Amino acid sequence: VDNCKDLNTEYFWNDKIINNRKEIFKSPVYIQKNKLVFDEIKKVCGKLLDVGIGYGYMEDLIVKNGLKIQLYGIDISSVSIKSATERFKGIFKKASVYKIPFGDNYFDWVIALDVLEHLPKSKMSEALGQIRSKLKKNGMLIVSVPLNESKQDKLLNGHLRKFTVPILRSEIKNSGFSIERIKFLYAFRNYILMKTLIN
């Protein structure tokens, strides 16, 4: 997987944002993942940067629930940034995780949900270093990555990395973060409710 062709272009993600919204918003895995993250950030206030803001699902939750969070977001998709700018009060910029266009020590929280698997292994430390530089001291980072994906899902979604828990843990720690906790979701389409209850 690490040697796959990089499909992660603006064109690729503009197409995804335009054509996959209805499908992704019906995904119980996607909804459950965002709810878990929301349950963490609803306890706080301050500045939050969403790296790879995509469909703006988390921002919808934040706004609908009246959280006192200042919204910021970046994405390589111009469609995503245009949509976020029209829908939410905040600052949203077309930018790469390798060059985040905000000051150092600026954010209380950064979320990067289903982003790291789209980055080549050779650039992971650069990306995580950028994120870390933008966080305040004692700021929090929340990431999510898929585990045990099918080859078809990897190809369809432009994933360049295959993660295991030890690999992710190592890369996060090597970038200067300490890990507070790890949570797992059962992402199988069948029996998700039963597997979630067991988890």
Side-chain angles (χ1 to χ4, degrees):
V1 175
D2 291 349
N3 297 321
C4 287
K5 180 183 176 185
D6 190 352
L7 300 175
N8 294 284
T9 63
E10 179 181 1
Y11 174 81
F12 178 85
W13 282 106
N14 281 348
D15 183 65
K16 284 265 188 196
I17 299 299
I18 292 167
N19 295 311
N20 282 26
R21 180 179 298 270
K22 286 183 181 177
E23 181 182 338
I24 197 78
F25 281 17
K26 290 178 184 174
S27 163
V29 177
Y30 183 81
I31 292 166
Q32 186 183 18
K33 172 188 64 192
N34 279 280
K35 184 184 180 312
L36 278 175
V37 174
F38 178 77
D39 286 346
E40 291 297 318
I41 64 176
K42 73 181 181 183
K43 307 166 190 171
V44 300
C45 57
K47 297 185 180 88
L48 178 138
L49 172 65
D50 189 345
V51 174
I53 189 172
Y55 303 96
Y57 191 90
M58 184 60 60
E59 288 67 25
D60 262 332
L61 290 176
I62 289 168
V63 170
K64 286 176 182 173
N65 286 276
L67 300 192
K68 305 296 183 196
I69 292 177
Q70 296 170 329
L71 299 176
Y72 297 78
I74 63 168
D75 205 292
I76 64 170
S77 165
S78 56
V79 171
S80 173
I81 294 304
K82 182 176 185 290
S83 173
T85 301
E86 291 171 352
R87 292 163 54 210
F88 309 117
K89 182 180 177 183
I91 298 175
F92 309 101
K93 297 185 178 185
K94 182 176 176 293
S96 159
V97 68
Y98 307 119
K99 193 169 182 180
I100 298 174
F102 298 103
D104 289 350
N105 307 306
Y106 192 69
F107 296 102
D108 300 284
W109 289 76
V110 173
I111 60 174
L113 308 181
D114 295 346
V115 169
L116 300 184
E117 66 272 18
H118 297 279
L119 310 180
K121 184 177 181 179
S122 61
K123 299 195 93 177
M124 189 64 60
S125 61
E126 181 184 348
L128 288 171
Q130 263 291 291
I131 289 171
R132 187 165 180 263
S133 72
K134 304 306 173 186
L135 273 168
K136 294 178 181 176
K137 185 177 180 183
N138 299 319
M140 299 289 289
L141 167 65
I142 299 177
V143 300
S144 68
V145 297
L147 301 174
N148 303 314
E149 278 190 302
S150 71
K151 187 173 182 180
Q152 181 184 11
D153 282 344
K154 288 174 193 146
L155 293 173
L156 284 173
N157 293 303
H159 295 175
L160 301 178
R161 295 289 309 277
K162 180 178 181 178
F163 280 102
T164 64
V165 173
I167 289 172
L168 181 60
R169 186 189 297 270
S170 173
E171 300 226 13
I172 295 290
K173 283 189 171 182
N174 289 342
S175 296
F177 293 96
S178 59
I179 298 173
E180 188 171 303
R181 68 182 163 275
I182 297 174
K183 292 189 176 185
F184 294 93
L185 289 177
Y186 287 102
F188 302 103
R189 288 183 177 89
N190 297 326
Y191 311 117
I192 184 169
L193 179 58
M194 181 177 72
K195 291 175 180 180
T196 300
L197 290 172
I198 291 169
N199 190 32

